[in-house]
Amino acid sequence: MTRSIYYPLYLDPGCGRMLRRRVGVVFTAVLLTPAFVLLFLTSPDLSGEQVLVSRVAELRERLHHAEMVNQERLHDVILLSQKFTSLIQPHMNNGSAAPYGSLSVEARELLSNMSRATPDMHLPSIYSYLPHLLRYPDATAPAFKLSRGRQSATMVLGVPTVKRQVQSYLMTTLGNLIQSMTTEEMTQCLIVVFVAEWDLDYVRQVASQIERKFPEHLESGLLEVISPPQSFYPDMNQLRQTLGDPMERVRWRTKQNLDFAFLMMYAQPKGTFYVQLEDDIQTKKGYIATMKNFALQKTAEKKNWFVLDFCQLGFIGKMFKCVELPYLVQFFIMFYNDKPVDWLLDYLIQTKICNLDKDPKHCKKAKDNVWIHYKPSIFQHVGTHSSLKGKVQKLKDKQFGKIQLYFPHENPPAVVETNIKPYKTYTLQRAYKGESYFWGLLPQQGDTLLLRFQPPVSLKGFLFRSGNVEHPSDRLYNTSVEVEPVRVPRTLPSSLKRTKDGYVVVGEFDDMGVAEGTVDAASLGVVKALRLSVHVESDNWAILSEIHIQTTDSR
């Protein structure tokens, strides 16, 4: 019979303490795990709460806007009542019933009550500061208007533009503003292009350019184009000379003040927030969401803000609540002849907030509570030629970061050459490789830019973009895109034309300096070269900021 022998297990004190510690950890985990699970399941959804807070803030701003519209309608009713009273009062004094005609007894009593509401005071209005408007009934209506009538926008972007002596940045600016929006934001925003010129032929020319460049956005209501009548402005030759400025500068800043006032009056009933921009700026992707979220955040925090500042320069990127635009309009109209528009904004804030009994530091601190800066800036000024003749303005917002001046692509191997002299290191070779952009001096008739593919390629499409945000006028115009097939086809589709030296014209640059198209590889076969041919002498240099050659092997 075999007997099992059991040996007692002896542990040293250190091992015992380690075992007890592990058992304690396991026991604690068993007890606390359900508590953590319960806490996790019952904890509030902070992201959902933030969305709710933001939504409440947005509804609050929309309610303020609705109250503003209601007050404006009430004001219109009061004005009509006063005008009606002034018409029927002479008849009432004579005891005549002529003004009532064949009205019912109830209607007569109502009109009789209204007639007794003659005010003893004359309230100031726009006519108090611009009395010449009384002579022109249409002075406060746009002289030109291209609009689909979009209302109740979340955000209205005001883009004033004037005729510039050197180059226009407007189309580049509008393209950047639109391309930096999401599809949903395009349905919630409104861009008002304010052509601040009295020459209607020029206004129609600008509107026609916008129609050709952005037809779908005009149709959807995202874009509007308006211009003011000359009768809205006083006699610009009768202004007072102020601040010791030359009269040309006084007229320039006076007109800008009234331009902004007109644009803001037009934009006020159309949205919840208003952002003042310029026609020579660039922005970043997501700028609409950034501004909206920042505004709603400050509203939710119950910050009594007046200006949200998204750019450190001038009047660019200044956001206001539409319900508070009348403060600005009134101030601009009162002092249009006295100070520049950005100074007037600063003085308005100072008048509203600062205590004259306190030192400047206290004033600055108080202004910072209502004039709130967002960092980093989301708008950059790119123009160098001011709308004031002869003024060069190279100011840049250092908080914005770098602006993309060219768009690189991976193109098929090619030898490139051109007889257009490049400026410094901005060569065609570097542009084709995506290292920079091509910048050439004054293209002449007969100049070419040639790409010889090695090996030949089956071409699918092409994109050439000339000009960039800093030099939008340095574009290629009257320039064709031509290809040289390895084997010249006997017949060509009717849409294609052949040059004398065997190239086939497959496209041309439009009035925006862009050439984009597809190539029918089945008809042309393999291509050994592509050429850009200049047909007219240019007054400007030329920039190629994007070169994209697509082949059938491209991804």
Side-chain angles (χ1 to χ4, degrees), residues 2 5 83 101 116 132 151 166 200 209 211 222 230 244 248 260-261 278 294 303 361 368 385 400 429 432 473 490 497:
T2 304
I5 301 175
K83 290 179 179 179
R116 298 190 185 101
H132 68 279
Q151 299 287 336
V166 180
L200 285 181
Q209 285 182 329
E211 282 185 294
L222 171 62
Q230 185 173 357
E248 183 180 10
F260 280 30
E278 291 186 5
F294 190 65
K303 299 284 188 181
K361 290 183 179 179
D368 288 342
H385 301 281
F400 182 84
Q429 289 84 352
Y432 188 75
S473 295
R490 294 180 179 178
K497 296 181 180 179

Side-chain angles (χ1 to χ4, degrees), residues 48-68:
E49 183 178 343
Q50 290 172 352
V51 170
L52 180 60
V53 170
S54 177
R55 182 60 178 159
V56 170
E58 183 175 3
L59 291 175
R60 186 183 304 155
E61 293 296 349
R62 287 186 176 275
L63 178 60
H64 290 165
H65 180 75
E67 290 174 347
M68 174 204 72

Side-chain angles (χ1 to χ4, degrees), residues 268-484:
Q268 185 204 1
K270 296 183 177 296
T272 305
F273 300 113
Y274 175 80
V275 182
Q276 185 73 36
L277 299 174
E278 291 186 5
D279 65 349
D280 54 353
I281 57 100
Q282 290 287 287
T283 188
K284 301 175 180 178
K285 289 281 187 182
Y287 74 103
I288 293 293
T290 298
M291 292 193 294
K292 179 181 175 181
N293 292 339
F294 190 65
L296 296 181
Q297 175 192 337
K298 296 306 173 186
T299 299
E301 293 172 358
K302 298 186 177 178
K303 299 284 188 181
N304 188 27
W305 62 271
F306 186 77
V307 188
L308 296 183
D309 199 341
F310 296 94
C311 181
Q312 308 303 307
L313 302 177
F315 221 109
I316 301 171
K318 305 297 183 280
M319 174 189 279
F320 309 92
K321 302 169 187 174
C322 284
V323 296
E324 294 180 339
L325 285 178
Y327 291 102
L328 285 163
V329 172
Q330 186 85 355
F331 213 70
F332 294 166
I333 289 175
M334 288 172 63
F335 302 108
Y336 65 86
N337 192 180
D338 301 296
K339 300 287 175 66
V341 68
D342 48 343
W343 291 19
L344 290 179
L345 173 60
D346 189 69
Y347 287 139
L348 173 58
I349 301 294
Q350 184 173 321
T351 302
K352 283 172 64 68
I353 298 300
C354 292
N355 187 336
L356 296 179
D357 295 332
K358 304 287 185 178
D359 58 28
K361 290 183 179 179
H362 182 274
C363 178
K364 183 180 183 307
K365 186 176 180 181
K367 287 167 65 176
D368 288 342
N369 290 328
V370 296
W371 188 332
I372 303 175
H373 295 268
Y374 178 88
K375 296 180 181 180
S377 300
I378 60 175
F379 295 102
Q380 177 65 289
H381 180 258
V382 296
T384 54
H385 301 281
S386 171
S387 55
L388 176 61
K389 186 177 180 181
K391 181 182 177 184
V392 177
Q393 192 161 272
K394 297 183 178 181
L395 293 176
K396 301 293 179 185
D397 191 329
K398 296 180 180 179
Q399 294 183 9
F400 182 84
K402 292 184 178 180
I403 294 178
Q404 190 171 7
L405 298 177
Y406 65 95
F407 303 88
H409 294 281
E410 186 176 344
N411 293 314
V415 175
V416 302
E417 56 187 71
T418 179
N419 52 0
I420 301 175
K421 184 178 179 180
Y423 175 67
K424 293 186 177 180
T425 61
Y426 300 101
T427 63
L428 183 59
Q429 289 84 352
R430 295 187 66 210
Y432 188 75
K433 293 177 181 179
E435 298 173 356
S436 181
Y437 55 89
F438 170 69
W439 200 0
L441 280 61
L442 295 174
Q444 304 295 308
Q445 182 178 1
D447 285 349
T448 61
L449 298 93
L450 182 63
L451 314 177
R452 292 194 179 277
F453 301 114
Q454 295 183 342
V457 298
S458 179
L459 197 60
K460 183 172 65 174
F462 58 86
L463 169 62
F464 296 95
R465 190 183 308 276
S466 61
N468 62 23
V469 295
E470 289 189 343
H471 303 279
S473 295
D474 287 359
R475 296 173 178 161
L476 287 170
Y477 301 99
N478 295 300
T479 300
S480 57
V481 182
E482 305 159 356
V483 297
E484 183 181 13

